[in-house]
């Protein structure tokens, strides 16, 4: 999948959090390489494995994952001619012992966790190597019994060292009065006496060193030279025998290079698997159902980086409609809801359990295409609109029936009229290709398009009109509002400005209207113009008040079918519709205000929020008389 799309969905931040639960370099490496998968069978297997691992942890089990300390270097050096040291074999032995414990543990869990325990079946205890290491090395040192030759030379070393110490004790006792201190010293691996400088000629031997102050000289007595030479030769022979032991042990270890490598790889798999399980416990993740039909049905979903602070999201798409347009006020949660759907989708396709209620359903997509955030580049000085267009171009390159498309704030950053037209055209093209689309917007025209077009549906983020606080709950099947007028009014904008704002939003701004029509100014001169203007102002105040009533009625309705029922009870064909009447437009499922009376063909002009529609009178039901 596209790396930029994953970045916009905070996929990398989730991987960083997951990384904290891995303990080995291989586990962390697998997390670094983690990407969403597209084969449903593979995803199903990975999800079930993670769920099993989570269950084992919930049962209080302490899973004995072996440490890979020092193992990476050992594996890399096998077969290169390198002779492993005693420390290397200590790490090797610790690893093999831990592997044996892990294999025993997984055998005991074969019924409770068949998927997870199956990996251990490929591991090998490498018993022969383990036994040989235990026989030859203890506490990090090669034991005397590692070979007959080594045992023989070490016995000889002990004998010579005993003789040497006896001779040194005799010499120290003899020269005690001229020694700087009554302690044996060594220089260059050879025993010496610390003699006061002025008495150096009283001891026969070679001066090997002197102190920094020059007050002490370190003399190798002539009486012990032969012992020292013999001991040095024996030490060299000991080193050769130890190297032979290590070489033989290295050769044995290299016979099991493949088995050792499989064990290491399997431990990395287990570390990665249980890191996913620990992360699932941390975020409240559960297993989910999968399909390939573009159906998403989320129950009580949360964004994993927001956690319990987020109001749970219920979300459905892909059955009756494949495109959902979400509306609502700023900071109302539209973007968070959209990102939650996208992020949880790619996490599920990565084999991760996600914070949803059990029984939630996800679709497997080959592409997740995203336009969230302005995506501006300082280097290229792209405008917000240009950035959106570049993102849309990338989306159109991959969009098909197996693509989830997420677009935030459609039509933003440019002229609203052209932006809306372009947005609708893009939505139509994505729908034609069969893509699953979630888009957010503030624009009424896009909401109206979604309401009137098969395969599309509106949704809104709920908002408390009294407290002016978003509720962060998604209600599918209803279009939302930006609540700009309500928020502005409650924050202190004068009522007359709000009224004028509603006028402009309803009809748009004009300099004048035609004569004999309260919608247009006559353009005449003198007092007539003032009278017409006054009449027009009075008319628009009436219209503004009625628009407010309609908006309140629309907001308080539980659903569009209820509004339709109300309209049907108030139908009256005893008179023609007149300007100012509130009507229900059945084709759009919306209420509006009559702004143009019926013409010779029975066509009536209706204003729905900011947009003017013309429709046959037979499709209109009188809702409230003007």
């Amino acid at each position: 999948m596209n790396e930029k799309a994953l970045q916009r969905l905070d996929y990398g931040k989730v991987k960083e959090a997951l990384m904290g639960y891995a303990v080995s370099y291989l586990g962390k490496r697998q997390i670094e390489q983690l990407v969403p998968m597209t084969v449903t069978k593979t995803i199903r297997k990975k999800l079930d494995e993670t769920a099993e691992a989570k269950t084992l942890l919930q049962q209080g089990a302490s899973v004995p994952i072996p440490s890979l300390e020092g193992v990476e270097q050992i594996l890399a050096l096998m077969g290169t001619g390198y002779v492993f040291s005693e420390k290397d074999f200590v790490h090797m032995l610790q690893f093999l012992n831990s592997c044996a414990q892990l294999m025993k543990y997984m055998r005991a869990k074969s019924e409770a966790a068949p998927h997870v325990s199956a990996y251990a079946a490929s591991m090998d205890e490498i018993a022969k190597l383990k036994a040989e290491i235990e026989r030859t090395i203890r506490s990090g040192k090669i034991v005397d019994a590692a070979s007959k030759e080594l045992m023989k030379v070490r016995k000889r070393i002990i004998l010579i060292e005993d003789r040497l110490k006896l001779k040194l004790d005799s010499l120290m006792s003899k020269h005690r009065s001229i020694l700087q201190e009554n302690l044996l010293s060594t220089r260059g691996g050879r025993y010496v006496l610390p003699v006061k400088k002025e008495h150096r000629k009283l001891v026969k031997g070679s001066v090997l060193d002197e102190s920094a102050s020059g007050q002490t000289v370190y003399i190798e007595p002539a009486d012990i030279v032969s012992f020292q030479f013999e001991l040095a030769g024996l030490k060299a022979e000991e080193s050769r025998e130890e190297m032979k032991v290590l070489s033989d042990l290295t050769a044995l270890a290299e016979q099991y290079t493949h088995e050792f490598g499989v064990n290491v790889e399997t431990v990395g798999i287990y570390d990665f698997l249980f890191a996913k399980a620990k992360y699932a416990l941390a975020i409240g993740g559960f297993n989910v159902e999968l399909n390939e039909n573009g159906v998403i049905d989320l129950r009580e979903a949360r964004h994993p980086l927001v956690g319990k602070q987020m109001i749970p999201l219920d979300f459905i798409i892909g059955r009756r409609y494949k495109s959902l347009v979400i509306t609502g006020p700023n900071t109302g949660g539209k973007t968070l809801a959209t990102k939650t759907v996208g992020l949880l989708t790619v996490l599920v396709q990565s084999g991760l359990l996600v914070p949803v209620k059990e029984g939630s359903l996800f679709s497997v997509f080959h592409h997740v295409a995203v336009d969230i955030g302005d995506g501006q580049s300082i280097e290229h000085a792209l405008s917000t609109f240009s950035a959106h267009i570049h993102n849309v171009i990338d989306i159109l390159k991959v969009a098909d029936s197996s693509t989830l498309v997420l677009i935030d704030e459609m039509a933003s950053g440019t002229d609203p009229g052209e932006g809306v037209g372009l947005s609708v055209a893009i939505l139509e093209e994505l729908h034609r290709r069969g893509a699953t689309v979630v888009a957010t917007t503030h624009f009424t025209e896009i909401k109206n398009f979604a309401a009137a077009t098969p395969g599309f549906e509106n949704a809104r983020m709920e908002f408390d009109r009294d407290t002016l606080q978003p509720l962060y709950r998604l209600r599918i099947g209803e279009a939302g509002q930006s609540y700009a007028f309500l928020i502005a009014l409650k924050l202190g904008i004068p009522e007359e400005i709000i009224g004028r704002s509603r006028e402009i939003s309803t009809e748009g701004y004009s300099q004048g209207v035609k004569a004999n029509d309260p919608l247009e100014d006559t353009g005449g001169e003198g007092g007539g113009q003032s009278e017409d203007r006054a009449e027009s102002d009075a008319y628009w105040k009436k219209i503004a008040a009625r628009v407010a009533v309609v908006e309140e009625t629309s907001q308080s309705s539980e659903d569009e079918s209820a509004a339709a029922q109300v309209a049907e009870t108030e139908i009256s064909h005893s008179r023609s519709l007149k300007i100012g009447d509130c009507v229900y437009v059945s084709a759009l499922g919306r209420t509006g205000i009559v702004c143009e009376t019926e013409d010779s063909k029975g066509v009536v002009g209706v204003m729905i929020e900011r947009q003017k529609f013309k429709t046959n009178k037979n499709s209109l039901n009188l809702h409230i008389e003007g």
Side-chain angles (χ1 to χ4, degrees):
M1 290 188 182
N2 184 278
E3 182 63 32
K4 288 183 179 179
L6 296 177
Q7 183 179 350
R8 292 187 183 112
L9 293 174
D10 296 323
Y11 185 75
K13 291 182 180 179
V14 172
K15 287 174 64 172
E16 287 178 12
L18 180 60
M19 192 82 72
Y21 294 95
V23 297
S24 71
Y25 75 93
L26 277 181
K28 294 180 185 295
R29 183 183 297 172
Q30 289 200 47
I31 294 172
E32 289 175 355
Q33 298 171 350
L34 183 65
V35 293
M37 299 167 284
T38 57
V39 179
T40 303
K41 185 177 180 180
T42 304
I43 297 169
R44 177 77 276 153
K45 178 175 181 288
K46 297 300 180 183
L47 288 173
D48 291 344
E49 288 175 356
T50 308
E52 283 186 2
K54 176 191 166 189
T55 300
L56 291 177
L57 294 178
Q58 286 177 313
Q59 292 173 350
S62 178
V63 184
I65 302 294
S67 169
L68 294 182
E69 181 185 357
V71 173
E72 180 180 15
Q73 180 181 358
I74 290 172
L75 196 58
L77 291 174
M78 278 189 173
T80 64
Y82 178 84
V83 177
F84 292 119
S85 66
E86 294 92 332
K87 185 178 180 180
D88 293 329
F89 284 111
V90 168
H91 287 315
M92 204 178 296
L93 182 60
Q94 290 173 342
F95 176 69
L96 293 177
N97 284 331
S98 296
C99 286
Q101 292 177 353
L102 179 61
M103 294 169 67
K104 181 179 179 181
Y105 173 87
M106 288 301 169
R107 281 195 295 269
K109 301 296 180 181
S110 59
E111 291 187 8
H115 293 91
V116 173
S117 61
Y119 287 107
S122 63
M123 299 179 72
D124 195 312
E125 292 189 23
I126 317 181
K128 184 176 181 180
L129 174 61
K130 180 172 171 288
E132 189 63 13
I133 296 174
E134 290 174 334
R135 187 187 73 81
T136 56
I137 298 176
R138 292 193 194 117
S139 301
K141 294 183 180 180
I142 300 174
V143 299
D144 296 348
S147 72
K148 292 181 180 180
E149 292 76 10
L150 182 60
M151 181 177 288
K152 184 186 298 184
V153 71
R154 283 185 174 175
K155 284 182 178 180
R156 181 65 179 166
I157 287 173
I158 291 172
L159 179 63
I160 297 302
E161 283 183 337
D162 288 343
R163 291 179 181 178
L164 177 59
K165 287 177 181 178
L166 286 174
K167 189 62 177 177
L168 283 169
D169 289 342
S170 175
L171 290 171
M172 289 186 71
S173 178
K174 177 181 177 181
H175 299 295
R176 179 172 287 111
S177 60
I178 63 173
L179 297 181
Q180 193 68 262
E181 52 187 2
N182 194 31
L183 291 174
L184 276 175
S185 299
T186 59
R187 288 294 184 272
R190 301 169 76 85
Y191 288 104
V192 293
L193 297 178
V195 180
K196 295 176 182 178
K197 186 175 182 180
E198 60 271 22
H199 301 300
R200 61 187 298 177
K201 294 184 179 179
L202 298 179
V203 179
K204 293 181 180 179
S206 304
V207 176
L208 300 186
D209 197 6
E210 65 178 39
S211 65
S213 64
Q215 298 301 310
T216 305
V217 292
Y218 298 96
I219 300 175
E220 179 186 31
D223 293 347
I224 66 169
V225 170
S226 60
F227 291 110
Q228 301 252 59
F229 274 116
E230 186 174 2
L231 185 60
L234 290 172
K235 290 284 187 180
E237 187 176 350
E238 180 189 33
S239 295
R240 288 192 295 270
E241 289 301 325
E242 288 176 344
M243 183 58 67
K244 184 178 178 182
V245 169
L246 293 175
S247 296
D248 291 345
L249 204 53
T250 298
L252 179 62
E254 289 179 342
Q255 292 179 23
Y256 298 97
T257 299
H258 173 72
E259 291 84 351
F260 197 85
V262 170
N263 283 5
V264 171
E265 181 182 353
T266 305
V267 168
I269 292 172
Y270 274 125
D271 185 28
F272 173 53
L273 179 53
F274 281 97
K276 292 192 294 181
K278 293 172 187 175
Y279 182 67
L281 287 174
I283 65 172
F286 286 92
N287 206 347
V288 300
E289 302 299 325
L290 299 176
N291 73 95
E292 298 178 347
N293 305 317
V295 179
I296 301 175
D297 187 348
L298 308 187
R299 305 171 189 176
E300 299 182 13
R302 287 184 171 92
H303 194 292
L305 299 179
V306 179
K308 294 183 178 180
Q309 301 175 19
M310 177 181 173
I311 303 298
L313 172 70
D314 291 326
F315 181 92
I316 300 176
I317 197 171
R319 293 191 177 100
R320 183 171 56 83
Y321 52 89
K322 292 200 70 173
S323 297
L324 187 68
V325 175
I326 304 176
T327 51
N330 288 328
T331 71
K334 299 189 303 296
T335 301
L336 178 59
T338 304
K339 292 182 73 171
T340 299
V341 173
L343 179 59
L344 296 188
T345 294
V346 296
L347 293 183
V348 164
Q349 291 189 214
S350 300
L352 295 175
L353 307 187
V354 292
V356 295
K357 187 177 180 180
E358 287 187 284
S360 292
L361 177 65
F362 282 83
S363 181
V364 175
F365 295 98
H366 288 177
H367 301 283
V368 176
V370 180
D371 177 23
I372 295 178
D374 59 21
Q376 292 190 53
S377 167
I378 295 177
E379 293 180 6
H380 299 95
L382 295 176
S383 69
T384 299
F385 179 69
S386 296
H388 278 305
I389 293 303
H390 279 287
N391 291 338
V392 169
I393 291 171
D394 291 338
I395 290 172
L396 292 174
K397 289 178 181 177
V398 299
D400 58 18
S401 60
S402 188
T403 302
L404 174 62
V405 178
L406 308 172
I407 304 178
D408 193 34
E409 298 295 354
M410 292 201 80
S412 62
T414 188
D415 174 80
E418 294 181 354
V420 166
L422 183 60
S423 296
V424 169
I426 291 169
L427 289 174
E428 288 178 333
E429 176 60 18
L430 293 173
H431 183 68
R432 185 188 67 79
R433 297 189 186 190
T436 302
V437 181
V438 182
T440 72
T441 186
H442 282 291
F443 287 89
T444 301
E445 295 85 351
I446 298 178
K447 292 186 276 186
N448 293 340
F449 164 77
T453 307
F456 284 77
E457 182 59 274
N458 275 310
R460 67 180 177 89
M461 302 304 300
E462 294 186 353
F463 185 81
D464 191 319
R465 296 167 60 88
D466 295 324
T467 64
L468 301 183
Q469 295 298 318
L471 299 177
Y472 302 106
R473 291 194 297 263
L474 181 69
R475 184 181 290 275
I476 296 177
E478 299 178 12
Q481 303 177 32
S482 66
Y483 294 97
F485 294 154
L486 180 61
I487 294 172
L489 180 63
K490 292 196 174 185
L491 291 178
I493 297 294
E495 290 187 13
E496 57 269 24
I497 294 179
I498 299 299
R500 176 58 178 154
S501 299
R502 292 186 185 277
E503 294 177 16
I504 296 172
S505 298
T506 303
E507 176 63 19
Y509 177 77
S510 62
Q511 294 295 330
V513 292
K514 293 181 181 178
N516 303 321
D517 190 336
L519 294 177
E520 299 182 29
D521 193 3
T522 61
E525 298 180 0
Q529 182 178 5
S530 298
E531 292 174 2
D532 289 341
R533 181 67 180 183
E535 181 182 353
S536 176
D537 289 344
Y539 167 76
W540 277 113
K541 287 181 181 178
K542 180 180 179 181
I543 290 295
R546 297 189 61 73
V547 169
V549 171
V550 171
E551 288 181 350
E552 294 289 338
T553 303
S554 175
Q555 174 60 29
S556 63
S557 297
E558 288 298 322
D559 51 49
E560 296 299 343
S561 62
Q565 292 172 4
V566 172
E568 289 171 2
T569 63
E570 300 185 14
I571 294 175
S572 174
H573 294 292
S574 62
R575 65 167 177 81
S576 299
L577 295 171
K578 64 181 181 179
I579 292 176
D581 283 343
C582 176
V583 293
Y584 179 77
V585 186
S586 58
L588 297 179
R590 303 298 302 278
T591 53
I593 301 297
V594 175
C595 61
E596 290 184 9
T597 56
E598 176 185 343
D599 62 15
S600 59
K601 297 181 180 180
V603 175
V604 178
V606 180
M607 184 66 65
I608 300 178
E609 294 187 8
R610 300 179 185 178
Q611 190 169 6
K612 184 176 179 182
F613 293 86
K614 287 194 175 184
T615 184
N616 191 280
K617 66 177 182 179
N618 293 328
S619 67
L620 302 177
N621 295 318
L622 179 62
H623 189 41
I624 304 173
E625 290 191 9

